Amino acid sequence: MKIDRREFLKSTAAISAGAALYPGIMSILSGSGCSPGVRRDLDEDQIAAILEKGLSKGGDFSEVYIEEISSTSFDMSEGSFARATVGVSQGIGVRTAEGPKNGYAYINGFDYREAMAAAEASAYISASGEMGEVASPAKKSPAGYITIEVPVSDVAETVKMDLIQSAEQAGRDFSPLVKQVDIEYYDHMKRRKIANSNGLRIENEIPLIWVVINVLAEKNGVRHRGRKRLSAHQGFEFFELIDLEEAARAAANEAVTMLEARPAPSGKMPVVLYPGWGGVLMHEAVGHGLEGDAVFRGASIFAGKIGEKVASDLVTLVDDSSWPNARGTTDFDDEGTPGQRNVLIENGILKGYMHDLISARLLNASPTGNGRRESYRHFPIPRMTNTFLENGNAKREDIIAETASGLFVKALSGGSVDTTTGEFNFEVREAYLIENGKITSPVSGASLIGKGIDVLSNIDAIAGDLELGVGICGKGQWVPVTSGQPTARVATGITVGGTA
Amino acid sequence: MEFTEKILDKCLDAGADSAEVFSLNQKKLSLTVREGRLETIQKSTPGGLAVRFFKDNKTAFAHTTDLSEKSVNEMVRTTKNMAAKTEPDELAVLPDPGQYGRDLDIFDDSRANIPTEAKIAYLVNLEKLAMDYDILIDKSKGAWCSEVLSEIELLNSNGIKSIYKSSHYNVGISVIASKNGNMFPGEGFISARHFSDLLPAEKIVDRYVSRALRLVGGTPVSGGDYEIIFTPYVPYTIMWGLGFALNGENALKGTSFLAGKKGEAFADSKLNVYDDAIKPRGVSSRPADHEGVPSQNNKLVENGVLTGYLYDTRTAARAGEKSTGSAIRDDYNANPEISPSNFYIAPGDDKTDDVIKSCKKGIMVEAVHGWGLNSVNGQYSAGINGILVRNGKMVKPVANVTVAANAEDFFKGIGAVCDDITFYHGFSLPTIMIKKMKVGA
């Protein structure tokens, strides 16, 4: 069900007054409709005092991060809404940074005295003993890569539930072999305010929508699960741009198709990756090694290789936190650095790394807007945002037709990488054999392993059909990301771990 | 407790048929030392509160960090409104009070008064021991520790009052072994409820750094069928998937390969699996689960036969069983979910040395990459690092290969379960041998 825009706005407007909202959200929405800073947290004098306290034992800079999140979620399982959740979280994180060192402390809520105590705790990290300087504040404005037409908090729960219900039905109706359709719906509004001793003051609001559809199909005791995930930093108008029912059918199609799967082959073979979340291979296999902290610790195989050829000429790898409304987009990162497009590898040559303030300083580079954190409970570290392989000139049909035998990977689950060895692994969800240039049987039960650097140099065909896939990335803390790629072939370097 | 009781009353005053309040308050400290100096210190006192509101068999969940009167009132109101919008579910009820057992000895706050400097010195020493362990160890990613003191209060309108304190200590090391241009991480961590139960620094280093020295410079072996020996280093590769498969909710929904197999011998008779939430000082022990149901030791697989699943209150009611005390919240803001506690394959009588000696062509797996056991279809597939065993002898390190098997070959093919289990984490595994798995290279 795609909602007609006028109907949609009418239905949401009608209910917004009576919607069950938290005071936090109400205050954010009052006034201009979206004016941040209405809710009382810390005033400028208090912030200045905390920043000063953070530098009382020395340090390069101190920082105050104020966050408030109001969230709503529903889980639909076995045909009914199994769960409805609302939540509010508020907190302040105070950081003192010196060289590679971080002192960090956080509190729940916005209490000034507690925040001062946190600043005292974070100041512990610094040993120089020389009082650091606090610059006078200068307010900055966010870039506006994230737009909101209809705030998620303005939309009645029943509207959200209807959407989920119709998608669930579409998944069920896809085939009698579909046994379960589970849908998780989550949205939130996050308000951030960042201040540091260099004078930075910046704040904004970021919405997030996240829907996960899992479909189980079963036939003669064989079970498979298909999955589709949709997400954006956007207002509720997101659901005008995507078709949730179609997504449910796609998940169902994956589950049903894979019931006929044969055991996956094992050994080295060419692998053709479908556009979208397949890009997680680049994220894991290459991206993590290009994060500034791995580089300055010498724990990345890409350390010290700027300007060197690390990939085939076809490879241009980009991390772009300014992609409008994408799940990995940040108007500014969690240290206040504006989002931007960073070319990491250009035509096979390593161009740069992804930095937060600390890694940029240590490696003598400019911050790239990659300092991210899960919440006020974490200090920022270099993280990816929207990471993708740029389009090439080939055509998907040709790439497949020119592959004598290999594996066509349509969907990967998660994966991980050891940045020390560069070895990665992925679990394959949906894959097919390529035989004589044609996609043939579905195969199941495979994992993919290899080394990032081998994959980079063995990418020998890239199509022009780039898509981003949505996901979540863990590195001690979780952040929303996208990974993307066009159809691409890795000629060799990937080992497929099946049982056949 | 007065505060949580007050919130419970507010729910009932607002018209709840029943209600539950859960609060978690913690003190956390974590430190990282790298190259002999403190690199990070993190200190916090996180906490929060959650409410479940039941009315006409409808329910909703709300959580907050804002404990002001106004905010809590608002939360109760919102939860009530939200509940009204959900669909009735007659099985969704709160448990009644039960018998809470003996003291599990899971609280140790003896570190609270130790100065931070001493904790830093401990880590400096740990890192130095690791760096000095061998000439091939040439880089440090740091030594770290964390300590968490938690206080849980759970009250429900059926009269449950589950209030307890617990502590959690972790110590980890991460260095890099380099040999002929190859690198391998020497890293890992161990957990305990009591600081004194952690291994001494020398043994932590020995456990994780020696592994890097054994595995650095690994190369692929030719593909084909091998005997695979999983060591206690890699419990999660099997226990994660097994935990999801034994989750009673997944079994009812059919999203587990063990669905409908209760009473069936799905594995070799050497396999016994327990989830023991009342193991004294156990890393995941607790007197009651996070719905207030008393904890117990659940035997899930006995001599290869599936004997039961893990349940929370609702899922148990649906299955016509009793809750196994397995409803766990990851944090104050998480819904209770069915989850294992101290979850392990029971040790057997086999000796690891004998298993190696009688192995003609196999791989001892000491590190894995990827998920491993798939809980939906029971297939195993992962990338591994290990040691090639030929005719009873350990030959060379292996890298860049996958191992895989279907559910039948994996579980019926268990050829040995050894006696060398250790309980350093929530999930544990003795050395176990699978007779035949496919190696991809």
Side-chain angles (χ1 to χ4, degrees), chain B residues 191-315:
Chain B
S191 307
R193 289 294 198 181
H194 287 250
F195 188 80
S196 60
D197 287 353
L198 292 170
L199 283 174
E202 291 79 6
K203 293 209 165 145
I204 296 172
V205 167
D206 192 51
R207 179 176 164 84
Y208 292 111
V209 180
S210 68
R211 173 173 61 170
L213 296 170
R214 287 194 296 276
L215 297 181
V216 67
T219 49
V221 291
S222 54
D225 291 336
Y226 285 72
E227 191 176 298
I228 299 296
I229 304 163
F230 290 95
T231 65
Y233 279 112
V234 296
Y236 284 77
T237 194
I238 296 170
M239 304 311 283
W240 264 116
L242 201 52
F244 281 105
L246 289 167
N247 176 318
E249 188 177 355
N250 293 339
L252 284 170
K253 285 161 71 173
T255 54
S256 159
F257 76 97
L258 294 175
K261 292 203 171 151
K262 193 172 165 184
E264 260 184 52
F266 76 98
D268 184 272
S269 63
K270 286 177 187 286
L271 185 71
N272 289 280
V273 178
Y274 290 86
D275 182 55
D276 182 3
I278 51 171
K279 189 177 181 307
R281 291 189 169 201
V283 170
S284 300
S285 295
R286 67 238 164 186
D289 74 0
H290 296 159
E291 290 185 311
V293 174
S295 297
Q296 58 188 48
N297 183 5
N298 295 299
K299 185 160 205 177
L300 301 168
V301 179
E302 184 167 11
N303 302 327
V305 178
L306 179 65
T307 52
Y309 304 98
L310 296 174
Y311 294 112
D312 59 7
T313 302
R314 181 189 179 277
T315 315

Side-chain angles (χ1 to χ4, degrees), chain A residues 23 39 77-78 81 83-86 88 90 101-102 104-105 108 124 182 223 297 418 421 425 445 447 497, chain B residues 38-43 47 61-63 65-66 74 87 117 183 185 253-254 256 318 335 337 370 379 381 402:
Chain A
R39 191 163 172 85
S77 182
E78 300 181 84
F81 284 97
R83 203 170 263 176
T85 302
V86 288
V88 169
Q90 301 168 328
K101 303 189 295 179
N102 274 304
Y104 195 72
N108 288 330
Y124 182 90
D182 287 352
R223 298 185 174 91
R297 295 202 170 104
D418 183 331
T421 60
N425 70 85
S447 51
Chain B
L38 181 68
E39 185 165 285
T40 62
I41 177 167
Q42 286 192 82
K43 211 171 177 179
F61 178 90
H63 56 85
T65 54
D66 184 352
E74 199 54 39
E87 290 160 57
E117 288 72 22
M183 295 197 285
K253 285 161 71 173
S256 159
R318 190 175 155 195
N335 273 280
E337 302 266 11
Q379 290 172 339
S381 179
T402 56

Side-chain angles (χ1 to χ4, degrees), chain B residues 68-262:
Chain B
S68 65
E69 174 104 25
K70 189 179 158 212
S71 173
V72 168
N73 288 340
E74 199 54 39
M75 176 174 74
V76 170
R77 195 178 68 82
T78 311
T79 321
K80 181 185 174 177
N81 290 344
M82 193 73 132
K85 290 181 180 131
T86 63
E87 290 160 57
D89 175 3
E90 279 166 25
L91 297 170
V93 292
L94 291 169
D96 291 320
Q99 288 293 315
Y100 300 101
R102 64 206 148 119
D103 179 14
L104 299 171
D105 196 11
I106 55 172
F107 184 63
D108 162 28
D109 61 354
S110 62
R111 296 285 287 172
N113 295 322
I114 293 186
T116 307
E117 288 72 22
K119 293 171 183 172
I120 295 168
Y122 167 82
L123 291 176
V124 169
N125 178 53
L126 179 67
E127 188 195 35
K128 184 172 186 316
L129 287 170
M131 291 303 293
D132 293 348
Y133 191 86
D134 192 281
I135 191 147
L136 297 180
I137 305 298
D138 65 351
K139 226 170 255 160
S140 173
K141 289 166 84 179
W144 58 273
C145 68
S146 69
E147 39 191 82
V148 182
L149 301 180
S150 305
E151 188 166 3
I152 284 176
E153 283 188 30
L154 177 84
L155 269 64
N156 80 17
S157 54
N158 293 350
I160 281 185
K161 284 193 170 106
S162 170
I163 298 167
Y164 65 90
K165 291 180 177 178
S166 63
S167 52
H168 207 97
Y169 296 91
N170 290 311
V171 175
I173 180 71
S174 178
V175 294
I176 295 172
S178 302
K179 191 177 176 181
N180 306 329
N182 293 299
M183 295 197 285
F184 199 86
E187 63 188 14
F189 72 97
I190 57 169
S191 307
R193 289 294 198 181
H194 287 250
F195 188 80
S196 60
D197 287 353
L198 292 170
L199 283 174
E202 291 79 6
K203 293 209 165 145
I204 296 172
V205 167
D206 192 51
R207 179 176 164 84
Y208 292 111
V209 180
S210 68
R211 173 173 61 170
L213 296 170
R214 287 194 296 276
L215 297 181
V216 67
T219 49
V221 291
S222 54
D225 291 336
Y226 285 72
E227 191 176 298
I228 299 296
I229 304 163
F230 290 95
T231 65
Y233 279 112
V234 296
Y236 284 77
T237 194
I238 296 170
M239 304 311 283
W240 264 116
L242 201 52
F244 281 105
L246 289 167
N247 176 318
E249 188 177 355
N250 293 339
L252 284 170
K253 285 161 71 173
T255 54
S256 159
F257 76 97
L258 294 175
K261 292 203 171 151
K262 193 172 165 184

Side-chain angles (χ1 to χ4, degrees), chain A residues 413-463:
Chain A
S413 298
S416 63
V417 67
D418 183 331
T419 47
T420 306
T421 60
E423 288 169 18
F424 63 77
N425 70 85
F426 293 93
E427 192 188 2
V428 174
R429 284 206 340 264
E430 183 181 2
Y432 302 81
L433 293 178
I434 303 176
E435 295 171 300
N436 302 318
K438 289 202 170 58
I439 293 173
T440 58
S441 324
V443 291
S444 77
S447 51
L448 305 181
I449 65 160
K451 284 193 175 190
I453 206 114
D454 291 344
V455 166
L456 281 177
S457 48
N458 285 304
I459 292 178
D460 70 344
I462 302 177

